[in-house]
Amino acid sequence: MYALIAFAPILITLILMTILNWSAKRALPIAWLVACIAGIFAWKMRFVTVAACTVYGFLSSIEVLLVIFGAILIMNTLKCSGAMSAINHGFTRVSSDKRIQAIIICWMFGSFIEGAAGFGTPAALAAPLLVSLGFPPLAAATVALIFDSTAVSFGAVGTPVSTALTQLGTSVGPEFAGKLSVWTALPHAVMGIFVPFLGVAVLTKVFGKEKSIKPALAVLPFALFSGIVFSVPYVIVAAVFGYEFPALLAALIGLIVTVFAAKKKFLVPKNTWGFAPETEWKPDWRSKTELERAKPSDMPLWLAWAPYVLIAAVLVITRIPELGIKNIINTNASFPFVFQFNNIFGVEQLDFSLKWANIPGVLPFIPVAILTHFMHKMSLDEVKTAWIDTFKQIGGAAVAIIFGIALVQVMKFSDINESGLHNMMVIMAEFISNAGASVFVVLSPIIGILGSFISGSNAVSNLLFTNLQFETAQALNLSTVLVVAMQVIGGAIGNVTCINNAVAVCATVGTSGAEGKIIKTNILPSAIYTVVIIGIFALLFAVGFNP
């Protein structure tokens, strides 16, 4: 009974967004209200606790909004300075084929940004690049999320795996951490070989003028090649160096190799593929916000790319613990880098930290955008246009993000109650896991997917469910390494369809309101990914393998 009530906000969200085609900014406030009612009447939460959870969610949304704002500002700055036109021309010289461009930008460049920053940053940067190259905005948003999958478990310099290990604490040792890195990477890598083709297949089937996967089949050799040159170093780095660098280094290696291969026309189809003319696009494919078009420019390519190079460099420098900066800007005691809000409305468990210097939107997106104003010698009118357009675009996403994150916090902290019940998320996960060993093997990744679908983060999913997965594995006499790996991988798969990411990427390309369409489109590739992962682990369990 309680599990059904706990699922209610999520089910209502899915029905409103995917069946009734409501926008996220209409659906999520209703889902939040349902969660509040469930918390007060079923979980016996005090009204002040629900209010505190909501305020906690509102404060948490600042981080997401700043990431989106910074990403949009970078895009609009480059558009108004003329850099985007130069970048477009540069990509055309590598390949004018939209299939190849999607693989290079979203799969390789996006995975590199995922490895450095995570937390929705890759799609927010990659999707606008695709739009500037002539992709329908909705197509760019959809495919950016599909490609931001395999790298996610090792995103933000291994944060999701690190979070899982932190939750397990002294229950495991260094050997477990090494094996978890390998067994998270291996199944991901198997599927990672096929993700570029999967993303392109969705692109040509849903958004192509042919409405067919035949154009995707034509690029299959190059797509598989790009999957292999990412997946092989991905596994090697995980096995040799651990969980911090697999996505970062694999994407960097893959990006260099893939761009070189595309330039040399290696495995590239002879026929160039593109979209139908813009006049033939469906209305919901387009941006709903009238923005400044990219300014024509003869800017040198190195200068046009300089802001992205700076972004990547700062992200790497500030995210690698060994360099020391991450510890300074990420420690609660490091005022003024961290602002602390303790005991919101007197609720002791609700302490919020705003680590503003660790938010990619603040460092480096906004400073790099401001620096670009001078680097690219922009006029005052161009700077003004970039900022005004940015505020226009983020407005539509703000309501959805604020209430979406408030919904998550109400569900997450619903264990602060007078009924003695676990929080709603744990009760949902326990309901799923309350099965025999053979059924649990199928359901374990789905728990991870559920966590990131709701919260928008693989790391948060691991924070919520790693201990549950570990303890269930022990009770069912299953390999704890493999079960926790399923949790971590499931959290990455959920990234493809999660509501928060759909809202964020739609905001960056001006398609706010079409989040439900993205989720519906991405359910199939997400399901294929899940089935393959379950199949791999089921086979390992069937033969009695235990690392």
Side-chain angles (χ1 to χ4, degrees), residues 149-300:
S149 49
T150 306
V152 170
S153 289
F154 298 105
V157 200
T159 297
V161 176
S162 173
T163 302
L165 292 170
T166 301
Q167 290 305 107
L168 294 173
T170 56
S171 304
V172 298
E175 188 180 359
F176 184 96
K179 289 178 178 177
L180 179 62
S181 297
V182 171
W183 287 101
T184 298
L186 272 170
H188 255 323
V190 172
M191 188 60 207
I193 293 171
F194 302 98
V195 167
F197 170 73
L198 199 60
V200 172
V202 170
L203 196 66
T204 62
K205 175 67 177 173
V206 179
F207 300 99
K209 51 192 171 186
E210 308 90 346
K211 294 289 186 289
S212 168
I213 67 165
K214 285 183 179 179
L217 290 170
V219 82
L220 178 60
F222 185 88
L224 293 177
F225 171 74
S226 67
I228 291 167
V229 296
F230 174 86
S231 293
V232 171
Y234 182 79
V235 173
I236 293 171
V237 172
V240 176
F241 298 107
Y243 57 82
E244 288 97 343
F245 303 112
L248 193 69
L249 293 181
L252 182 60
I253 293 166
L255 182 61
I256 294 168
V257 173
T258 307
V259 169
F260 180 78
K263 277 187 172 182
K264 297 297 181 182
K265 307 296 181 185
F266 178 68
L267 300 177
V268 174
K270 291 180 181 178
N271 295 328
T272 300
W273 182 86
F275 297 98
E278 189 171 343
T279 53
E280 297 178 22
W281 294 356
K282 294 181 181 178
D284 57 2
W285 293 8
R286 307 167 188 270
S287 173
K288 294 182 179 178
T289 313
E290 280 297 324
L291 302 172
E292 191 75 12
R293 289 193 173 272
K295 169 188 169 184
S297 171
D298 56 357
M299 183 183 294

Side-chain angles (χ1 to χ4, degrees), residues 28 64 400-401 404-405 408 453-456 498-505:
L28 289 173
V64 181
I401 287 169
I405 295 178
V408 171
F453 175 80
I454 297 170
S455 68
C498 88
I499 298 166
N500 285 347
N501 283 356
V503 172
V505 74

Side-chain angles (χ1 to χ4, degrees), residues 307 333 370 472:
I370 294 170
T472 305

Side-chain angles (χ1 to χ4, degrees), residues 453-484:
F453 175 80
I454 297 170
S455 68
S457 167
N458 193 351
V460 173
S461 179
N462 295 345
L463 180 74
L464 292 168
F465 297 139
T466 296
N467 279 319
L468 174 70
Q469 299 263 28
F470 185 85
E471 290 165 8
T472 305
Q474 286 184 318
L476 296 173
N477 200 27
L478 295 170
S479 165
T480 52
V481 169
L482 294 183
V483 169
V484 174

